[in-house]
Amino acid sequence: KAGVTQTPRYLIKTRGQQVTLSCSPISGHRSVSWYQQTPGQGLQFLFEYFSETQRNKGNFPGRFSGRQFSNSRSEMNVSTLELGDSALYLCASGRGTGREKLFFGSGTQLSVL
Amino acid sequence: GESVGLHLPTLSVQEGDNSIINCAYSNSASDYFIWYKQESGKGPQFIIDIRSNMDKRQGQRVTVLLNKTVKHLSLQIAATQPGDSAVYFCAENIPGNQFYFGTGTSLTVIP
């Protein structure tokens, strides 16, 4: 069974640009969560999608958005990039039933110059 | 927001010794907890989980202990090996909400 796939693996952007990251969950999983991880910090929750609907949202500005498609694949978008957006963005998939383990992808390392 | 904290940001142990990584959580409504291991350049990998109706759960070389009275979680790794060197995160979950992760503890195993 394939794991969680995130693309691209690395990304370099400049301030003011926008970026789209992609996540394909484990087959059969309907929930996709996104996290931001910066050096020395834990994982900061961005949002969770289940059956194409945003189910939970973290405390990030509106520049961060996401969506989920009917095949459960998810994308997140960051507009008007800032230097502080440089981070590892992790996607996690789950069945979506709650109180279940999440399976993480390897992440997309975003560098904003 | 929720707070999940770790007592020690770094931990160094001799190969073959047992390791104990601690975690404090703040919300008494949290009823599901997971320990993750993250190696350099990889995403977090599930180690073991425990529900609030349990105090202890054992896996292969790992044991998680949950003390709900003081809202404390610990991960014990038996006979620590060099491959155990990584950052370990605990995560708590409140029903209907997302997981909250701590900042992590970096474990270094000395050969």
Side-chain angles (χ1 to χ4, degrees), chain A residues 9-10 35 37 40-45 48 55-59 88 90 98-107, chain B residues 1 31-32 34 36 38 41-46 49 51-52 89 93 95-104:
Chain A
R9 185 72 178 89
Y10 301 95
Y35 289 83
Q37 185 177 31
Q41 299 293 319
L43 282 70
Q44 303 296 315
F45 175 76
E48 180 204 3
R55 187 157 69 172
N56 283 301
K57 187 177 187 303
N59 297 322
L88 179 67
L90 292 161
R99 294 170 70 203
E100 55 171 347
K101 66 185 80 168
L102 299 180
F103 295 86
F104 283 85
S106 294
Chain B
D31 69 348
Y32 180 54
I34 300 180
Y36 282 95
Q38 187 175 25
K42 298 183 180 179
Q45 176 186 2
F46 171 88
D49 58 358
R51 301 193 186 280
S52 60
F89 295 93
N93 182 254
N97 285 278
Q98 66 269 27
F99 277 93
Y100 295 92
F101 287 78
T103 54

Side-chain angles (χ1 to χ4, degrees), chain B residues 9-32:
Chain B
T10 61
L11 179 65
S12 295
V13 299
Q14 290 290 142
E15 181 178 358
D17 287 351
N18 296 334
S19 302
I20 299 177
I21 301 172
N22 296 303
C23 174
Y25 65 95
S26 60
N27 199 312
S28 57
S30 295
D31 69 348
Y32 180 54

Side-chain angles (χ1 to χ4, degrees), chain B residues 12-75:
Chain B
S12 295
V13 299
Q14 290 290 142
E15 181 178 358
D17 287 351
N18 296 334
S19 302
I20 299 177
I21 301 172
N22 296 303
C23 174
Y25 65 95
S26 60
N27 199 312
S28 57
S30 295
D31 69 348
Y32 180 54
F33 305 87
I34 300 180
W35 279 101
Y36 282 95
K37 170 187 179 182
Q38 187 175 25
E39 297 174 280
S40 181
K42 298 183 180 179
Q45 176 186 2
F46 171 88
I47 301 174
I48 191 168
D49 58 358
I50 188 168
R51 301 193 186 280
S52 60
N53 61 351
M54 303 173 69
D55 297 323
K56 178 180 179 180
R57 191 165 189 217
Q58 289 183 291
Q60 186 177 7
R61 283 200 307 120
V62 294
T63 301
V64 56
L65 299 177
L66 175 62
N67 185 330
K68 295 180 287 294
T69 302
V70 295
K71 297 201 283 284
H72 183 268
L73 197 67
S74 69
L75 175 70

